[in-house]
Amino acid sequence: MEQRIILSKNLNGDLATAISECEHDRLFVLADTTTAQTCWTRIVDYRCLKDAQLITIGATDAHKSLETLSAVWKALGDGGATRHSCLINLGGGMVTDLGGFAASTFKRGIDFINIPTTLLAMVDASVGGKTGINFNGLKNEIGAFCESRFVILDTMFLQTLDEPNIRSGYAEMLKHGLIHDKQMWAKLINFDLQRPNLQQLGHLVADSVEVKERLVAEDPTEQGIRKALNLGHTFGHAFESWALQQGRPILHGYAVAYGLVCELYLSAVKAKFPMDRMRQTISFIKEHYGQLAFGCNDYEMLIQLMRHDKKNTADVINFTLLRNIGDIQINQTASEEEICEALDFYRDGL
Ligand SMILES: NC(=O)c1ccc[n+]([C@@H]2O[C@H](COP(=O)([O-])OP(=O)(O)OC[C@H]3O[C@@H](n4cnc5c(N)ncnc54)[C@H](O)[C@@H]3O)[C@@H](O)[C@H]2O)c1
Ligand SMILES: O=C(O)C(=O)C[C@@H](O)[C@H](O)[C@H](O)COP(=O)(O)O
Ligand SMILES: [Zn+2]
């Protein structure tokens, strides 16, 4: 069934409609310890939620794990969930990814609704049906494509989101701008991310969701053009997993921003992406995301992590590159030498 995305101005009404369209016997809400405090409290009094049972899990990506997944399955079972129950995921991408996977596997699949509460989840994670958990030190290693019945997006939740998480989500928006067109990219590069105006940000969110929605509709299971949404992620996921291994976790969007630097470099070298646009994008990233510290001794491990990228076939590392803004080149490869060159470029700066 097709996923419906609602840019809501009336969360209470839109949620009531969504819940009534997902016929159910019991209703559950999944939140993490932070969204249980900051987001659930805003909606707990809605009439449509009066019988909902709250399931709370730990916050941050450290909890996007098999242990948490198993705790959610158990809580659903203990709470009397049946094949006809419905789960509402209230949180960031960690909650929508894990909750979506829990719902898609519990009794072979129950309906779920996403209410994204971070910028990243609004523009990216809650849309398009990639669900899953981290496993064996690798990002989203276990998962399934399964779309929520509804995504109900209300930017009022951003009022309590901290600055690093605003920046983290913004990196995925920048990715959407790069794969879409010059106008969108220019708007994003010129936005004042230091002092974000939430109303202006709301308009950019709407544009961003549209980019994701269009690509997912064209290629729901990532056989081809959906790989565009993975720009920055071959390096990005390797950085994210590596940082976690080092005991210094970084936010997903920061890892994507660092990955964009390396993949724009490869785009410039291998696909003639214009140097001036590469420099402008990289200065924006350096200004707002700082620099990840690693040395050449870490290259081998980073390349090993890239060997697990889900876009790969056999031993070939797969990249999405750009010939220009909006001119997407999927299924590109790079030699180990070229990957090391991109890592050198990242460390040496512009
Ligand atoms: N499925 C996809 O297509 C997709 C796309 C992009 C990212 N992801 C995944 O999403 C995850 C990252 O998501 P995220 O950045 O939303 O992180 P997150 O879900 O971990 O949330 C970040 C932090 O913000 C807190 N938070 C959430 N909403 C809040 C609010 N309104 N006010 C205050 N605090 C709030 C959370 O409790 C958490 O501590 C990663 O696991 C990434 O792999 C998935
Ligand atoms: O929706 C997609 O497709 C994406 O690739 C969006 C990414 O931002 C997201 O991080 C996704 O979870 C990465 O997927 P993976 O298949 O590389 O794990
Ligand atoms: Zn991502």
Side-chain angles (χ1 to χ4, degrees):
M1 210 173 297
E2 203 176 289
Q3 180 173 60
R4 269 176 54 198
I5 301 168
I6 301 170
L7 304 184
S8 184
K9 297 256 174 286
N10 169 16
L11 183 58
N12 194 345
D14 290 331
L15 184 57
T17 307
I19 291 173
S20 69
E21 287 194 25
C22 295
E23 252 181 58
H24 61 275
D25 52 5
R26 291 196 177 83
L27 186 62
F28 295 82
V29 174
L30 180 69
D32 68 31
T33 45
T34 306
T35 60
Q37 292 288 324
T38 53
C39 305
W40 174 238
T41 45
R42 282 178 184 257
I43 63 173
V44 64
D45 292 329
Y46 289 1
R47 232 175 94 78
C48 59
L49 293 171
K50 70 177 178 4
D51 296 323
Q53 301 181 49
L54 180 68
I55 302 173
T56 308
I57 56 177
T60 80
D61 233 58
H63 294 94
K64 193 175 155 181
S65 63
L66 191 54
E67 292 70 31
T68 311
L69 177 66
S70 149
V72 174
W73 283 328
K74 184 165 187 323
L76 286 169
D78 291 350
T82 71
R83 175 74 190 77
H84 306 283
S85 298
C86 177
L87 177 68
I88 298 173
N89 295 316
L90 178 71
M94 193 281 287
V95 170
T96 58
D97 275 19
L98 185 142
F101 190 49
S104 72
T105 45
F106 185 79
K107 296 194 193 284
R108 298 204 187 90
I110 61 172
D111 277 349
F112 65 105
I113 295 170
N114 284 338
I115 306 181
T117 62
T118 62
L119 183 59
L120 187 141
M122 289 178 194
V123 298
D124 196 348
S126 65
V127 175
K130 274 193 181 178
T131 67
I133 55 165
N134 303 330
F135 184 72
N136 200 20
L138 297 165
K139 286 288 304 173
N140 312 327
E141 181 73 344
I142 308 295
F145 285 101
C146 183
E147 290 193 321
S148 63
R149 291 278 308 274
F150 290 86
V151 179
I152 309 179
L153 202 154
D154 190 330
T155 51
M156 67 130 173
F157 288 117
L158 298 179
Q159 289 161 6
T160 53
L161 193 65
D162 62 18
E163 208 181 296
N165 277 296
I166 292 281
R167 286 174 198 240
S168 182
Y170 201 82
E172 301 278 22
M173 294 170 69
L174 192 56
K175 173 196 78 179
H176 288 162
L178 283 163
I179 60 179
H180 187 58
D181 71 12
K182 284 171 201 149
Q183 210 188 348
M184 184 174 176
W185 168 81
K187 259 198 221 168
L188 289 161
I189 290 285
N190 290 310
F191 181 73
D192 186 358
L193 191 53
Q194 217 81 272
R195 286 167 294 277
N197 172 313
L198 286 191
Q199 208 179 345
Q200 285 170 10
L201 187 60
H203 296 299
L204 298 176
V205 165
D207 295 343
S208 210
V209 177
E210 225 179 282
V211 172
K212 171 127 194 191
E213 208 181 342
R214 190 176 47 78
L215 283 162
V216 168
E218 221 175 301
D219 176 21
T221 58
E222 201 176 80
Q223 305 302 310
I225 194 59
R226 183 170 180 165
K227 290 178 192 169
L229 294 169
N230 227 250
L231 178 71
H233 284 66
T234 311
F235 279 88
H237 275 159
F239 287 141
E240 195 176 352
S241 299
W242 174 83
L244 191 66
Q245 266 179 23
Q246 306 298 306
R248 288 182 281 134
I250 55 176
L251 296 176
H252 176 72
Y254 278 63
V256 171
Y258 306 145
L260 286 175
V261 173
C262 298
E263 293 179 25
L264 284 180
Y265 172 80
L266 286 184
S267 296
V269 170
K270 294 172 69 76
K272 300 206 167 19
F273 185 84
M275 285 293 182
D276 56 335
R277 300 220 159 99
M278 178 189 80
R279 289 209 177 87
Q280 273 175 282
T281 314
I282 293 178
S283 337
F284 182 89
I285 291 174
K286 295 252 146 118
E287 185 186 342
H288 297 288
Y289 298 86
Q291 176 100 8
L292 181 68
F294 60 89
C296 38
N297 292 344
D298 300 307
Y299 288 12
E300 207 182 308
M301 176 52 72
L302 287 166
I303 293 173
Q304 208 175 306
L305 288 165
M306 287 179 215
R307 294 206 177 283
H308 292 275
D309 192 280
K310 286 171 225 68
K311 299 183 298 308
N312 297 348
T313 306
D315 288 332
V316 183
I317 301 177
N318 183 302
F319 293 93
T320 296
L321 300 179
L322 296 175
R323 198 152 42 194
N324 205 330
I325 293 168
D327 187 349
I328 301 153
Q329 305 285 294
I330 58 167
N331 297 332
Q332 302 300 298
T333 60
S335 63
E336 286 205 11
E337 253 179 333
E338 288 169 323
I339 294 174
C340 291
E341 220 181 83
L343 292 168
D344 285 341
F345 172 81
Y346 180 88
R347 288 167 58 228
D348 294 346
L350 286 170

